[in-house]
Amino acid sequence: MSDKPKKKRFEVEDHESISDCLDRMDKEGYQPVRRMEEPVFIEVKEGKTIIQKVHKQKIVFEGILKQENK
């Protein structure tokens, strides 16, 4: 039996592409089952008001442990 958790989240890093993240998942023995995206906001001061603007999109994959053939 493996010591790895059955589920694990993988965030697409700033320096990598989506396919790089999926390759990293595969190397660790996980397969993607869900993709989640959420905006990352920054606060920008315009005059006396503070406005929240979208800075980037955060992409997270949820992976489950691959079944090994016996």
Side-chain angles (χ1 to χ4, degrees), residues 29 31 65-70:
Q31 65 183 20
L65 203 55
K66 290 182 180 179
Q67 297 291 328
E68 295 188 20
N69 296 332
K70 293 184 178 185

Side-chain angles (χ1 to χ4, degrees), residues 2-31:
S2 177
D3 294 1
K4 294 181 182 180
K6 291 184 180 182
K7 286 186 179 180
K8 186 175 177 182
R9 290 182 174 217
F10 294 85
E11 185 174 337
V12 177
E13 303 292 333
D14 290 335
H15 64 277
E16 70 180 349
S17 67
I18 292 174
S19 62
D20 291 338
C21 182
L22 293 173
D23 290 341
R24 184 166 40 101
M25 287 178 72
D26 189 45
K27 287 178 186 174
E28 290 188 33
Y30 290 88
Q31 65 183 20

Side-chain angles (χ1 to χ4, degrees), residues 2 15 24 30 32 37 40 45 49 51 53 59 62 66:
S2 177
H15 64 277
R24 184 166 40 101
Y30 290 88
E37 294 185 31
V40 177
K45 188 174 183 180
T49 61
I51 300 172
K53 292 189 176 184
I59 302 172
E62 185 175 287
K66 290 182 180 179

Side-chain angles (χ1 to χ4, degrees), residues 47-59:
K48 293 185 178 184
T49 61
I50 296 177
I51 300 172
Q52 289 187 349
K53 292 189 176 184
V54 177
H55 177 61
K56 64 179 182 175
Q57 193 78 2
K58 182 169 92 170
I59 302 172

